[in-house]
Every structure is written in structure tokens, then in C-alpha cells.
Amino acid sequence: MEGEKDGRERFREVYQVLKMELLQDPAFEYDHVSRQWLHQMLDYNVPAGKMNRGLSVIESYRLLNDGKQIPEDAIFRAFVLGWCIQWLVGCVLVLDDILDSSHTRRGQPCWFRLPKVGMIAVNDGILLWNHIHRILRKHFRDQPYYADLLDLFNEVEFQTACGEMIDLITTLEGEKDLLKYTPTLHRRISQYKTAYGTFYLPFACALLMLGEKLNDYDDVKDILLEMGIYFQVQDDYLDCFGDPEKSGKIGSDIEDFKCSWLVVKALEVSNEEQKKLLLDNYGKADPANVGAVKSLYEDLNLQGIFVEYEIDVYEKLTISIEALPGKAVQAVLKSYMSKIFKRQK
């Protein structure tokens, strides 16, 4: 089996192939300016970050093959599906950064913050979304699972957009109500906004390539969604307590009145006086208000509560994974867990 470094290099090579195919689209045949814009936009937003979601398709496909020889064309298609997921990630992040008025992403300014970009980024996000189905049509139309693949991406795209909607409408001016922020609401946002696209989609892509039926793996899907909720809790924690130098992003959940795991947990464990302090300061951009919330989080020992939560979730997920039939499936899920447990970015 090729090393991780070689796999990442091959993955990047496939990105270059897909990018050139898109740049050669007839829409840009006589338009050098548009082609150059697309070239820069793709390079800025798609092959960035750790790329774990996309690489998980290849890893899952190999592990589920359980040591069997894989034809080169099948490996290439697995890489392509990995990039389709990275295109979806790029699309969601471009649009999410606009909606959240974020400043940095992956250690650099958000795409829309670049002087020449601004709100053109909205259309760029739509382009990224549409690219996914152009790539799928070109490389999978002759495959027996093409229709199932389209259904899968359509469903996950819809679920992600629904998660974003639920996340955003809770922060509307005039309708902000911190007491609505319950564990149930947080789980719902996390499942739709994060879990389907980050954990279920890569595994499901590998299953379809192997000719499997997704409905036969509902028990695995449940575990993957729990993993995704845990991943979002980590994101919420790192937004406040993480190191921006490591995460590449300056957190803003407090200022943005987000339904974060931290504020949900704070509401659970605070007394009436602490709850009033939270209600008075949460969702305000003034550094004094943000500082008051962070100080309360520390007084409530949310860092310690998070450490206990993380260990508890890891142990429960490990038990659930080891109860599954099939060592190959277990190997995939354990690999996913190893990448996220106690992550710092």
C-alpha cells in the first residue's frame, strides 16, 4: 500500500486533472479573464486544509476492499470522488464565511475578504457547487452506481444547506433567544451541517464504488453521524479555546450568537446569576462582552467538562465500532476516529 505522502501527492495530481477539465469548458473558450479568475478561485478554495474528507474516500475504499488488488482506473475514480467532496467543502466554506462575516480560514483571509473578490464570492460558491455534478457526469456516467451517486450527493448537499439554515436563523436580530439553545438543537445543527458531509459521505462513496447498498449499512451510518456530532463539538470548543495559529481561524461563535456546545453546556451547569451574566453578554461584539463570556466559561470549568466529554464519547464510539460485524468496516471507522480524537485543529 502506498504511503500517506505518496497518496496525498497522487491526490493533488488528480486535482490538477479535474481543474484543467473545468478550465477547458466551452463557457470559457474565448474568455481568458474568466478562465484566469476560475483558476485562482479554485486554487485558493479547493486544495486547502488537511483534505481529510476527500482522502477518506480512498482510504475507506482500500480498507473495505480488504487487501484485494484494485484496478488503476478504480483508484483514479476514488480520488475523483474524494475531490468532489473537497469541492463541496470549498463551496460550503466560501459561503459560510460570508454568512458568518468571518475573517480568516485555514490561516489566510477568507476568499470574500480579498479586495477584488467581495460578494463575487457568492457566485463562486455556486460555481463550486455546480462543478461537483459536472465532474460526476464526466467520470461516472458509465458506472452502474451513477444514479445512486447523484442521489447521495444531492441528499448530502440538501442536508448541509438545511443545517446551515437552522444554524443561521437562530441568530436573527430581534429573534435571539439563548434559552432555545438546547442539546437537542445543537445535535440537530451538528448532524445536518457537519456529520453527513464530513463522515457519512466519504464512507458512502466507497460503498457505492464497491457495489454495496447504503441501506444495508444504517448501523454504520448512525455511528458516523455520532462521530460527526463529536467533531462539531470539538470545533465549537476550539473556536473559543483553540490556538488560531494551529486552527488557522479566529473564532467568533460568541460574537455571532452561535448555538455552540459551550453555551449549551454553560446554560446547563450555571446558576441563576451566571445565567444572567451569559444572557447579558452573549452575542455582543464588544471585546469586554466576549471576555466576560470566556471568563464565565472558565469559571464553569467547561474545559474540564469538555475533556471528560471527549473521553466518554471516544469510549462509547469505540464500543459501538467493535460491536459491528466485519473487520474491514471496523478498520475504516477506527481510522476516522484516530484522526479526530483530541485534535487541535
Side-chain angles (χ1 to χ4, degrees):
M1 182 180 291
E2 64 191 5
E4 183 178 349
K5 182 178 178 181
D6 290 339
R8 285 182 178 272
E9 288 176 356
R10 289 190 65 189
F11 194 49
R12 288 186 176 277
E13 289 170 3
V14 173
Y15 165 74
Q16 295 297 332
V17 172
L18 299 176
K19 181 178 72 172
M20 292 310 300
E21 289 174 354
L22 292 167
L23 290 173
Q24 290 165 7
D25 191 285
F28 310 116
E29 189 173 1
Y30 302 107
D31 189 350
H32 172 74
V33 175
S34 295
R35 194 160 52 243
Q36 185 62 29
W37 178 278
L38 183 63
H39 186 287
Q40 293 173 347
M41 186 271 287
L42 290 175
D43 281 353
Y44 199 91
N45 294 295
V46 178
K50 301 183 292 294
M51 301 186 294
N52 281 339
R53 294 171 179 86
L55 287 164
S56 291
V57 178
I58 295 90
E59 181 183 34
S60 301
Y61 186 58
R62 289 186 184 281
L63 290 171
L64 291 171
N65 260 283
D66 207 15
K68 299 184 184 73
Q69 187 69 29
I70 304 173
E72 189 61 34
D73 62 332
I75 293 175
F76 176 79
R77 280 194 294 271
F79 278 122
V80 172
L81 280 182
W83 277 115
C84 285
I85 294 176
Q86 290 303 133
W87 245 269
L88 178 58
V89 172
C91 162
V92 170
L93 296 185
V94 165
L95 298 176
D96 187 61
D97 286 341
I98 298 170
L99 293 166
D100 289 345
S101 297
S102 299
H103 288 272
T104 58
R105 171 72 67 180
R106 295 161 169 168
Q108 59 185 3
C110 297
W111 175 244
F112 83 100
R113 292 285 180 185
L114 298 187
K116 290 184 179 180
V117 179
M119 289 302 104
I120 297 174
V122 175
N123 193 67
D124 290 335
I126 295 170
L127 268 177
L128 291 170
W129 200 289
N130 280 275
H131 282 167
I132 296 166
H133 293 274
R134 298 182 82 79
I135 294 170
L136 290 174
R137 183 177 62 188
K138 180 174 180 61
H139 292 280
F140 294 91
R141 198 170 188 174
D142 61 343
Q143 296 300 308
Y145 53 87
Y146 177 57
D148 291 330
L149 205 53
L150 290 180
D151 282 346
L152 173 65
F153 271 89
N154 283 332
E155 189 65 17
V156 171
E157 288 164 1
F158 174 72
Q159 290 159 335
T160 303
C162 287
E164 286 283 354
M165 179 188 70
I166 300 166
D167 183 36
L168 290 164
I169 61 177
T170 58
T171 66
L172 285 173
E173 286 296 335
E175 298 182 27
K176 293 180 178 179
D177 182 0
L178 203 57
L179 299 182
K180 290 182 180 178
Y181 285 3
T182 63
T184 300
L185 178 62
H186 183 267
R187 279 182 61 85
R188 189 177 175 211
I189 293 171
S190 302
Q191 179 176 323
Y192 280 87
K193 181 181 176 181
T194 304
Y196 280 107
T198 304
F199 290 89
Y200 177 62
L201 182 57
F203 182 80
C205 283
L207 285 180
L208 290 179
M209 284 193 67
L210 289 163
E212 300 286 341
K213 296 297 181 183
L214 300 185
N215 290 340
D216 294 339
Y217 290 83
D218 284 345
D219 51 350
V220 181
K221 179 180 180 179
D222 291 340
I223 294 172
L224 288 166
L225 294 181
E226 286 298 324
M227 213 177 282
I229 292 167
Y230 162 51
F231 184 84
Q232 184 58 54
V233 171
Q234 289 178 313
D235 259 11
D236 293 349
Y237 179 82
L238 293 172
D239 183 273
C240 180
F241 294 114
D243 181 356
E245 290 294 322
K246 292 181 179 179
S247 67
K249 184 182 180 188
I250 299 170
S252 61
D253 282 356
I254 295 173
E255 298 95 313
D256 295 339
F257 202 80
K258 289 290 184 175
C259 183
S260 161
W261 178 85
L262 290 169
V263 75
V264 170
K265 184 57 66 175
L267 288 166
E268 280 186 14
V269 302
S270 60
N271 59 36
E272 290 305 312
E273 182 181 346
Q274 291 168 327
K275 195 170 292 183
K276 185 179 185 306
L277 188 151
L278 196 57
L279 292 169
D280 289 343
N281 290 279
Y282 199 75
K284 296 177 180 177
D286 190 303
N289 297 109
V290 176
V293 174
K294 288 187 176 182
S295 294
L296 177 61
Y297 285 172
E298 291 175 357
D299 291 342
L300 294 172
N301 189 33
L302 291 192
Q303 289 157 294
I305 292 173
F306 171 77
V307 170
E308 292 177 2
Y309 161 84
E310 190 165 38
I311 293 171
D312 182 59
V313 169
Y314 179 81
E315 290 175 349
K316 288 178 178 176
L317 284 171
T318 300
I319 292 170
S320 297
I321 291 168
E322 291 180 347
L324 291 170
K327 293 297 182 182
V329 171
Q330 290 184 23
V332 173
L333 299 193
K334 286 182 178 180
S335 175
Y336 285 10
M337 278 299 294
S338 69
K339 290 181 174 63
I340 64 171
F341 183 54
K342 291 189 175 182
R343 68 187 177 96
Q344 297 298 310
K345 60 181 181 178

